[in-house]
């Protein structure tokens, strides 16, 4: 039996190279299946998500990044980890706590009923909508201040009296 025959008749063979994993799957009764899986180092993900290496290790430790493979003493992440980190960052940025994020991802592992997840997400939607409303109001105030100070500059350049702040309090921007 030559090496190619051994490769094709073996149930599964993994070949790793930097940045990708080749997986050959086959059995005697099927065609050869070849999948190329993108892989990432811990440094690559840390840079991509602007995180500390220790944060990624912590996420792995507390179960937010499950199934991280190791090649020697190096962690190897795949696209599922990238997608998971996108979700984590979305939830964190909008105010969800690590504990709530853990609860959310427990559903992925089949540990929770749907009702608690729906309730968690509904609370988070409400909280995020309140944050957005507050940001819109703050943006309006900043635009008002900007317009006021631009008007002061223009008035001074034209040797006119400074505008009054009270004239800007009711304006919408």
């Amino acid at each position: 039996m030559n090496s190619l025959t051994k490769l094709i008749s073996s149930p599964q063979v993994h070949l790793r190279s930097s940045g990708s994993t080749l997986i050959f799957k086959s059995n005697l009764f099927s065609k050869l299946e070849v999948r190329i899986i993108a892989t990432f180092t811990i440094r690559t993900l840390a840079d991509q998500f602007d995180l500390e290496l220790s944060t990624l290790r912590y996420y792995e430790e507390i179960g937010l990044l499950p199934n991280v493979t190791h090649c020697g003493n190096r962690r190897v992440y795949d696209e599922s980890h990238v997608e998971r980190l996108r979700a984590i960052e979305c939830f964190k940025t909008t105010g969800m706590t690590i504990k709530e994020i853990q609860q959310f991802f427990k559903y992925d592992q089949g540990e929770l009923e749907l009702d608690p997840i729906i309730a968690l997400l509904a609370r988070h939607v409400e909280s995020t909508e309140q944050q957005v409303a507050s940001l819109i109001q703050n943006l309006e105030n900043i635009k008002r201040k900007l317009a006021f100070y631009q008007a002061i500059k223009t008035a001074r350049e034209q040797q006119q009296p400074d505008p009054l702040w009270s004239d800007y309090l009711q304006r919408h921007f």
Side-chain angles (χ1 to χ4, degrees):
M1 183 180 287
N2 66 34
S3 60
L4 180 59
T5 306
K6 288 179 188 174
L7 175 67
I8 292 174
S9 64
S10 66
Q12 184 166 320
V13 176
H14 294 268
L15 301 175
R16 294 193 186 276
S17 66
S18 62
S20 64
T21 302
L22 299 176
I23 300 176
F24 295 89
K25 288 184 175 181
S26 179
N27 64 38
L28 296 174
F29 306 106
S30 69
K31 295 180 181 178
L32 180 65
E33 175 187 334
V34 177
R35 291 186 296 157
I36 298 176
I37 300 171
T39 59
F40 308 91
T41 66
I42 192 168
R43 170 58 61 203
T44 303
L45 286 187
D47 290 346
Q48 182 177 345
F49 288 92
D50 195 26
L51 297 170
E52 296 293 327
L53 299 177
S54 60
T55 301
L56 290 171
R57 289 185 199 106
Y58 174 68
Y59 287 172
E60 183 180 349
E61 180 182 315
I62 65 171
L64 288 180
L65 286 177
N67 306 318
V68 175
T69 58
H70 292 79
C71 186
N73 62 351
R74 294 182 175 201
R75 289 170 167 81
V76 180
Y77 299 91
D78 61 33
E79 193 61 38
S80 69
H81 297 110
V82 173
E83 290 303 316
R84 177 68 72 105
L85 281 168
R86 284 187 185 124
I88 292 168
E89 290 302 299
C90 169
F91 289 144
K92 277 182 49 189
T93 300
T94 54
M96 193 178 278
T97 67
I98 293 294
K99 186 174 182 172
E100 289 171 322
I101 296 169
Q102 285 175 305
Q103 290 172 337
F104 173 79
F105 285 122
K106 282 184 182 178
Y107 175 73
D108 281 353
Q109 300 163 355
E111 294 182 22
L112 289 180
E113 297 292 322
L114 282 175
D115 289 338
I117 293 302
I118 291 169
L120 171 67
L121 291 173
R123 284 191 311 272
H124 193 64
V125 164
E126 184 178 331
S127 170
T128 304
E129 286 173 341
Q130 289 171 356
Q131 291 173 41
V132 168
S134 178
L135 284 172
I136 289 170
Q137 184 177 8
N138 289 337
L139 178 61
E140 187 81 12
N141 288 331
I142 293 167
K143 287 179 176 181
R144 184 177 294 112
K145 288 281 190 186
L146 175 62
F148 177 66
Y149 286 103
Q150 287 172 332
I152 290 173
K153 180 181 178 188
T154 301
R156 289 180 180 174
E157 289 171 351
Q158 297 174 357
Q159 298 179 351
Q160 300 290 320
D162 286 355
L164 300 173
W165 174 243
S166 59
D167 293 338
Y168 285 80
L169 287 175
Q170 302 304 317
R171 287 191 185 178
H172 295 282
F173 295 88

